[in-house]
Amino acid sequence: MGVTCVSQMPVAEGKSVQQTVELLTRKLEMLGAEKQGTFCVDCETYHTAASTLGSQGQAGKLMYVMHNSEYPLSCFALFENGPCLIADTNFDVLMVKLKGFFQSAKASKIETRGTRYQYCDFLVKVGTVTMGPSARGISVENFPELSLNPHQASQQSLQSPETNKRDPDLPMGLTGRAAG
């Protein structure tokens, strides 16, 4: 819930990509961020097959197929200047069967792997972007992760009056009693 911000971080002068990632993660840990596990996002680019283009001057369309470890049962496809498709992981099998219409671009798989951190009410992901065997950059993703979602808050506020006492230090709608 909220806004996610994904940024490309510059590599520190005189440092490698991996050294800069380690520097960023050390800074997060010094601030008190707690490790929450790892993540991986990959993206493969497909282009329309030459047989489907028709006339010679027509440009091919691109489609990006992505997988995210946060959503292990889903596959995401984003069409150039078009819709976004969310499907189950069998979409990859379908892409093999559609090779007459879409072909995988050579050496086009990009992957971001890294560590998830919890810092206050934010989830921060620091990852290394690779293309093939070489590191190409650093991504930092952060978004607010409320400790209590709005549905849970509304459910708690509908409970009996004695458990509906609000702590004045909490935002409206949150009761301050321990989740149980």
Side-chain angles (χ1 to χ4, degrees), residues 18 21 38-42 111-115 126-130 139:
Q18 191 58 38
V21 167
T38 59
F39 75 96
C40 177
V41 177
D42 68 68
E111 187 175 80
T112 302
R113 287 184 178 272
T115 308
V126 178
T128 303
V129 180
T130 58
S139 71

Side-chain angles (χ1 to χ4, degrees), residues 32-118:
E34 295 179 18
K35 282 186 180 179
Q36 298 288 314
T38 59
F39 75 96
C40 177
V41 177
D42 68 68
C43 177
E44 190 164 358
T45 304
Y46 290 84
H47 58 85
T48 49
S51 62
T52 62
L53 292 179
S55 65
Q56 293 286 14
Q58 189 177 7
K61 296 281 186 185
L62 297 176
M63 178 175 62
Y64 306 96
V65 177
M66 294 169 270
H67 303 91
N68 187 336
S69 62
E70 303 281 320
Y71 306 97
L73 300 178
S74 297
C75 180
F76 305 89
L78 179 63
F79 293 91
E80 180 182 33
N81 300 323
C84 179
L85 171 73
I86 302 173
D88 65 17
T89 52
N90 288 333
F91 187 76
D92 293 320
V93 175
L94 180 63
M95 289 307 297
V96 171
K97 294 188 183 288
L98 291 175
K99 65 183 173 189
F101 299 99
F102 287 99
Q103 295 175 340
S104 179
K106 291 186 179 5
S108 67
K109 189 167 187 173
I110 297 174
E111 187 175 80
T112 302
R113 287 184 178 272
T115 308
R116 297 166 35 110
Y117 290 91
Q118 182 75 39

